Structure formats: structure tokens, C-alpha cells
Amino acid sequence: MKTRDYESAFILGNLKDKNPFLNDIFTQMSVDVKNNSRVLNLEVNDSICRKGDETNYVFIVLKGELVVINEFESGKIFEPVTIQHSDFIGVVEAMLQYDDYISTVSATEDVEYIRIPKDIFLTWIQNNTRISNLVLESVCKNFSQNMQESGEQVLLDSMYLFIGRILKHAKKEGNLFVLSETREKTAIRTGINLRTLYRYIKKLKQMNYIVTHQRKIAFTNDQKEKLFIYNQALRNK
């Protein structure tokens, strides 16, 4: 992770002018918040926080996209949730006084963000009604959007999420539907670790539900129908 000078990052990116929400956030920052905050960069596949890590910071995303992953020992996971610029990370843990982060949050593209110590963040929102309203607005917006996009958030078999992704994102190329993204990107987007993903690919190939085409996951029209039926069965388990 690279640290950049706080004021320079804002000036160079002209972030205040480009994003009214961030402009409001910056305007409300106290001297204490500014002096103790850092602007950091996160590369693809890196995590801003991991489930079980100590809750020391709250984060504000400036640029890029991340995904929230909740994985359990049973191998089941909650359907991943996407986080984008202007979103907060770690607010729930900070406000509810959780000792550890409850989710892993990983970058699906290069990310720039502000890191604020938890105690300073809590003092800031307790003393500033405007910023507490902005935080609440952001959290409620994300909750509403995620519910609209995925319906109720249910506990799912990770194979279901994998098949759902390839069915949704594979594009027609001749007689095949081909998923162009890398295995690593698929793993991040679904919240499945890479070793498990390769095991799923091997299993689906053995079942004759997918093939590989130029090292990409692919399937025919007939296989697409089989994948859909199999995935519905997984959801109803």
C-alpha cells in the first residue's frame, strides 16, 4: 500500500469538484480527523480488511471498487456485495463496538481510500450532526441498493454463486458461451478461494457441464440448460 499526502491527494484528483458527496465529507472534516487520516492505495486482489482482524480503522472509498465477502467454515457464503467510491467500510463494526471486522473486503480493481482511526471517527460523528447524517445516508443507500439487486440476501452454496456468475457473464462466441475474465477475477467476484474454484471447474468438466476454450471457461447451449437446472437444484437445497 502506498501512502500519499492528504491535501495533495485531494488537490491532484480534484475530488471535491468531481463528487458532491465527497466534497461534503471533506468540508466537515475536523483538524483532528485531517491530521490523523491517511490516503492509501490498494491493488487488485488485496484486502482493505479481513474477517477477524482487529477493528482499528474506518475507511472511505475514493476511487475503485471492492467486494464484501462473508465465508463460513461450512463452505457456504453470503452473496458478495459490491462497494464503490463514496462508500464507508467498517462503520458497522465501529459503531457497534465490535472488536473484529465481520467481513473480508477485497479490491476488484485498483482502489484509493481514506483510512481514519476508529476512535477519532467515532468522536467525529458524535460531535458533528452533518457527518453522522452523511454516514447514515451512505449506509442506508448501500443496503437499499443491495436488496434491490439481489433480493433477500441468503446463505448460498459457493458452487451456486460460481455457476450463477458464469451463466450471467459468459458471452456468445460462435457456438460457445465464453467467460473472458481470469480465474483470479472470478474468485474475487464470487468470494470463493482459488483452490476451491479450480475444484469446481474440474467437477463441472467431469459432469460435462462446461468445457475450456483457449483456457477460458465455456459451454454450449445444451450445457447452459444443464447448468441452469443444476444451479436451481443447488439453490433449493
Side-chain angles (χ1 to χ4, degrees):
M1 288 185 289
K2 300 176 182 178
T3 304
R4 302 203 308 179
D5 177 77
Y6 185 88
E7 290 297 333
S8 296
F10 297 160
I11 294 171
L12 290 172
N14 293 316
L15 296 173
K16 291 184 179 180
D17 298 328
K18 292 181 179 179
N19 190 311
F21 180 85
L22 290 176
N23 179 46
D24 213 350
I25 292 286
F26 300 153
T27 302
Q28 299 297 324
M29 279 186 169
S30 64
V31 173
D32 194 30
V33 173
K34 289 183 179 180
N35 288 343
N36 288 280
S37 297
R38 295 292 180 271
V39 175
L40 304 171
N41 293 315
L42 194 67
E43 296 181 347
V44 176
N45 297 340
D46 286 344
S47 298
I48 199 170
C49 63
R50 300 192 67 84
K51 182 178 179 179
D53 287 352
E54 188 175 353
T55 306
N56 292 323
Y57 301 101
V58 172
F59 312 95
I60 306 174
V61 182
L62 300 178
K63 297 178 183 177
E65 182 181 275
L66 305 100
V67 64
V68 181
I69 301 165
N70 282 304
E71 186 171 3
F72 299 87
E73 293 181 2
S74 64
K76 300 208 172 202
I77 61 179
F78 275 111
E79 192 163 2
V81 174
T82 301
I83 292 178
Q84 298 177 322
H85 68 80
S86 306
D87 288 340
F88 290 83
I89 298 170
V91 170
V92 172
E93 291 90 337
M95 297 187 70
L96 296 180
Q97 296 294 312
Y98 288 169
D99 293 329
D100 304 321
Y101 292 107
I102 59 177
S103 307
T104 295
V105 183
S106 301
T108 55
E109 58 189 47
D110 289 343
V111 169
E112 184 175 64
Y113 65 96
I114 302 172
R115 187 187 70 188
I116 307 172
K118 178 182 69 174
D119 292 343
I120 290 174
F121 174 82
L122 290 174
T123 300
W124 181 29
I125 63 173
Q126 287 166 5
N127 295 334
N128 187 317
T129 303
R130 177 57 184 159
I131 193 62
S132 62
N133 287 338
L134 287 172
V135 170
L136 181 61
E137 176 186 320
S138 175
V139 172
C140 289
K141 176 198 71 175
N142 291 335
F143 179 79
S144 174
Q145 288 178 347
N146 292 327
M147 290 297 286
Q148 290 173 12
E149 290 171 3
S150 59
E152 62 174 315
Q153 195 172 53
V154 293
L155 196 61
L156 300 171
D157 188 292
S158 53
M159 173 68 94
Y160 171 86
L161 293 176
F162 171 54
I163 295 174
R165 179 151 189 91
I166 62 178
L167 284 172
K168 182 177 181 180
H169 293 279
K171 304 297 183 184
K172 192 74 184 284
E173 295 183 14
N175 295 324
L176 292 173
F177 294 89
V178 180
L179 184 69
S180 61
E181 67 188 23
T182 64
R183 306 285 198 272
E184 289 77 9
K185 184 172 182 179
T186 304
I188 284 292
R189 290 287 187 173
T190 56
I192 303 169
N193 69 61
L194 203 52
R195 181 178 297 180
T196 300
L197 187 74
Y198 277 108
R199 189 167 67 247
Y200 287 168
I201 292 171
K202 181 179 179 179
K203 180 178 180 179
L204 291 176
K205 288 176 71 174
Q206 290 173 341
M207 295 170 72
N208 195 30
Y209 286 179
I210 63 170
V211 296
T212 51
H213 174 70
Q214 298 178 352
R215 302 185 66 183
K216 303 293 185 182
I217 297 169
F219 48 89
T220 63
N221 267 317
D222 288 343
Q223 289 173 323
K224 181 179 181 180
E225 184 175 346
K226 292 177 182 178
L227 282 170
F228 179 79
I229 294 171
Y230 180 53
N231 220 30
Q232 289 301 110
L234 287 174
R235 186 177 182 91
N236 294 329
K237 283 175 63 176

